[in-house]
Amino acid sequence: VLIMASSEPSGAVRKKRTDDAKSIRARALSERKNQAMQRAASSNSGRQACRGPRCKTRLKADAGLLENACKVLVAPVRRKAVRLASLETLLPLQIRVCSWNLHGSRVDARDDVLSWLAPQGRLADMYVIGVQELLELSAKTFMSHTKEGARRLRGLEARLSWELEQLNERFDIVCTVSMVGLALIIFARQGLSQCITEIDIDRVKTGLEGNYGNKGCVCARMIIGTFSACFMNVHLASGQNAVEERNRDLQQVLVEAFQARSSRGNLRNPKHGFRRESRHHPVHHQFCVVFGDFNSRLDLPQEEALPPGPLQDLLPRDQLVLGLMANEASFMEGSVEFAPTYKYVPGTRGRDPSRHPAWCDRTLYKTEAGIVAQQLEYTSFPRLCFTSDHQPIAAHFVVNADAQFPSCLFDGIQEDPEALQPITVNSDTDSEVQAACSDGAILKQKFYGKIAEPFD
């Protein structure tokens, strides 16, 4: 079901929304009145201020903000309304970041995708899913990728949504953004999705000196309750000796994402829902994850034979581990205890001898003051072997408030509320933006089942 920003809700939904708004508004008015009475008791002038027009105006303004929180199907909850929610009900959050280079293929029906998303039925509150090579990266793809890419993206969304439905938990698609073979799809548990606001998306092309989207990044940033988060799905330059090029690619996506100008000073025009207002920077978010196909290879010439011993003994020669990819220096990576994720013969678990094994697929992350992240899982899934010559990976995080900096949760990246203007999106394909609202561009926002209950 595709809910557009302009769709008309049913009578039952309107009645429930009105009842919820009245209930939330009544609680807010009661809380503010109690606060005003406390101020009056501690100040001689407090009684007059509480009864004066300024107090009444403030109470009405808060009621209006909270009323907007019930309009879940029309627009995301505004950040000021979310701030009134209890932090204890939102944190800790479990966020699962999944990555898979699909080798230009559709996900094979024989691959157990649910074991990748929720091993042993373990659920997350949010799923950040990034794929690379959704389409075959060929010259023909660059010329006519739009329609086929839209079909592939719809198919991938449908498969992932169906898999998550097997968990007996309702999830909303928060946003979807794609570029040629790259795609980023973010799901959130119903209820939590109401607390995700100020969504912004972008893409950065790095292929052929920034002219083609066969390599680069698709990314999304948002406010989750009261802290800022950014997720970046990257596909960097391939090749054994392309370390410098991968460094440039990574530097470019970190510098240009969400910016109005490129690293070369060229204007990056807003389009397809990408606002590019230079209001955000990826590394300045309180929780930032860069993941995908880094194409990190072994520092070992292809013509040189592999040394004897287990493949895990080759990890010290990995270019990321060696620090040769310098631009990830500010990020952390969990312990890599899984086998190389590339290159395999599709349909088997056997290695393709035409390439040295490599840990191409990785997940890096960083946190800022106010947030701590614990990585519970960081592994690959060799049983999903029928689709691609890459094995998928996943990193499972528990994100919580830092007890040393509790007030920082309310700081994040400050926004200018007057800058949050409604946007109009023009798109040629249904894989592009399908909804626009005053809190930013949301790609293909979908809701499954009944209207989500208020998150408390």
Side-chain angles (χ1 to χ4, degrees):
V1 180
L2 179 62
I3 306 296
M4 303 296 291
S6 60
S7 60
E8 183 69 23
S10 66
V13 172
R14 284 198 301 270
K15 184 178 184 303
K16 178 172 178 56
R17 186 182 300 164
T18 301
D19 294 340
D20 290 342
K22 289 179 179 178
S23 176
I24 295 176
R25 185 165 60 250
R27 290 200 300 268
L29 288 171
S30 177
E31 291 175 3
R32 292 307 297 265
K33 286 179 179 178
N34 291 336
Q35 293 174 5
M37 292 176 66
Q38 293 175 2
R39 288 195 301 267
S42 59
S43 174
N44 293 333
S45 60
R47 187 178 305 275
Q48 293 180 352
C50 178
R51 294 179 176 178
R54 292 182 61 187
C55 181
K56 294 180 180 179
T57 302
R58 186 169 61 248
L59 293 175
K60 290 181 179 180
D62 287 343
L65 283 172
L66 287 170
E67 185 175 4
N68 287 333
C70 293
K71 300 178 180 179
V72 185
L73 298 182
V74 178
V77 186
R78 291 187 178 276
R79 188 178 181 187
K80 289 185 179 180
V82 174
R83 284 184 171 183
L84 296 178
S86 172
L87 288 177
E88 287 76 10
T89 62
L90 183 59
L91 297 174
L93 275 180
Q94 296 200 34
I95 301 177
R96 189 171 182 85
V97 179
C98 304
S99 176
W100 196 359
N101 185 315
L102 296 178
H103 191 47
S105 305
R106 293 180 174 87
V107 178
D108 195 287
R110 293 171 290 180
D111 281 328
D112 184 9
V113 173
L114 192 58
S115 67
W116 176 44
L117 300 177
Q120 291 83 48
R122 184 172 63 248
L123 278 171
D125 299 304
M126 287 185 66
Y127 287 92
V128 180
I129 302 171
V131 299
Q132 308 83 41
E133 296 191 33
L134 180 66
L135 300 170
E136 182 182 0
L137 300 182
S138 63
K140 180 180 179 181
T141 301
F142 296 151
M143 299 301 295
S144 59
H145 72 272
T146 304
K147 292 184 178 180
E148 179 61 21
R151 285 193 291 268
R152 291 285 183 93
L153 189 58
R154 285 197 301 268
L156 179 62
E157 283 184 348
R159 176 71 184 271
L160 295 173
S161 297
W162 184 85
E163 297 286 354
L164 290 175
E165 286 175 1
Q166 311 312 305
L167 301 172
N168 297 321
E169 183 78 24
R170 299 288 188 176
F171 285 88
D172 303 332
I173 293 184
V174 176
C175 64
T176 298
V177 56
S178 64
M179 177 182 72
V180 190
L182 278 166
L184 176 65
I185 307 173
I186 299 179
F187 292 84
R189 178 172 45 80
Q190 270 195 357
L192 174 61
S193 60
Q194 301 176 57
C195 299
I196 299 176
T197 63
E198 300 176 20
I199 301 170
D200 199 3
I201 55 173
D202 200 7
R203 67 185 184 194
V204 179
K205 300 178 181 180
T206 62
L208 295 178
E209 298 185 350
N211 294 310
Y212 287 92
N214 59 319
K215 295 291 192 292
C217 167
V218 289
C219 51
R221 62 85 52 190
M222 62 200 67
I223 301 295
I224 306 174
T226 51
F227 73 93
S228 58
C230 180
F231 304 102
M232 309 182 76
N233 174 23
V234 302
H235 193 186
L236 306 183
S238 61
Q240 173 71 30
N241 301 316
V243 179
E244 292 185 4
E245 189 175 352
R246 285 192 280 275
N247 269 323
R248 288 195 299 269
D249 288 355
L250 190 55
Q251 174 71 11
Q252 183 178 345
V253 301
L254 290 174
V255 168
E256 293 187 7
F258 310 112
Q259 306 307 303
R261 291 193 176 274
S262 70
S263 54
R264 299 180 180 181
N266 298 324
L267 185 64
R268 301 181 71 235
N269 293 316
K271 59 182 178 180
H272 303 311
F274 310 134
R275 290 184 284 180
R276 296 172 176 169
E277 297 171 331
S278 298
R279 294 166 57 195
H280 321 297
H281 195 285
V283 299
H284 293 161
H285 289 72
Q286 290 172 292
F287 183 54
C288 180
V289 182
V290 182
F291 68 104
D293 186 355
F294 284 74
N295 263 313
S296 179
R297 305 300 175 93
L298 296 179
D299 193 28
L300 182 69
Q302 182 64 40
E303 59 274 9
E304 186 175 329
L306 292 175
L311 291 178
Q312 198 68 24
D313 292 347
L314 298 172
L315 183 61
R317 297 194 179 203
D318 173 75
Q319 293 169 347
L320 264 177
V321 172
L322 289 171
L324 298 180
M325 299 178 64
N327 289 313
E328 42 56 76
S330 62
F331 288 81
M332 299 178 287
E333 183 181 28
S335 177
V336 179
E337 299 178 355
F338 48 89
T341 59
Y342 176 83
K343 175 177 184 171
Y344 295 87
V345 178
T348 73
R349 296 192 197 180
R351 246 188 357 97
D352 187 336
S354 66
R355 294 286 188 277
H356 280 338
W359 285 268
C360 291
D361 308 278
R362 311 289 274 272
T363 301
L364 310 179
Y365 69 100
K366 69 186 299 292
T367 59
E368 294 286 339
I371 286 295
V372 291
Q374 179 186 6
Q375 193 175 70
L376 298 184
E377 179 187 4
Y378 186 33
T379 189
S380 64
F381 293 81
R383 291 187 177 182
L384 280 69
C385 61
F386 294 99
T387 299
S388 174
D389 56 356
H390 286 251
Q391 294 177 354
I393 65 168
H396 198 108
F397 297 95
V398 174
V399 179
N400 209 342
D402 190 340
Q404 297 181 357
F405 304 96
S407 61
C408 292
L409 284 173
F410 292 94
D411 296 334
I413 298 180
Q414 296 299 323
E415 305 286 357
D416 178 7
E418 295 182 356
L420 298 177
Q421 299 297 327
I423 62 172
T424 302
V425 177
N426 296 318
S427 174
D428 295 327
T429 73
D430 50 10
S431 67
E432 300 289 354
V433 181
Q434 295 289 337
C437 63
S438 60
D439 279 327
I442 294 186
L443 294 150
K444 274 194 157 183
Q445 179 136 358
K446 299 178 182 178
F447 295 84
Y448 300 92
K450 66 178 182 178
I451 182 172
E453 298 294 332
F455 187 67
D456 56 12

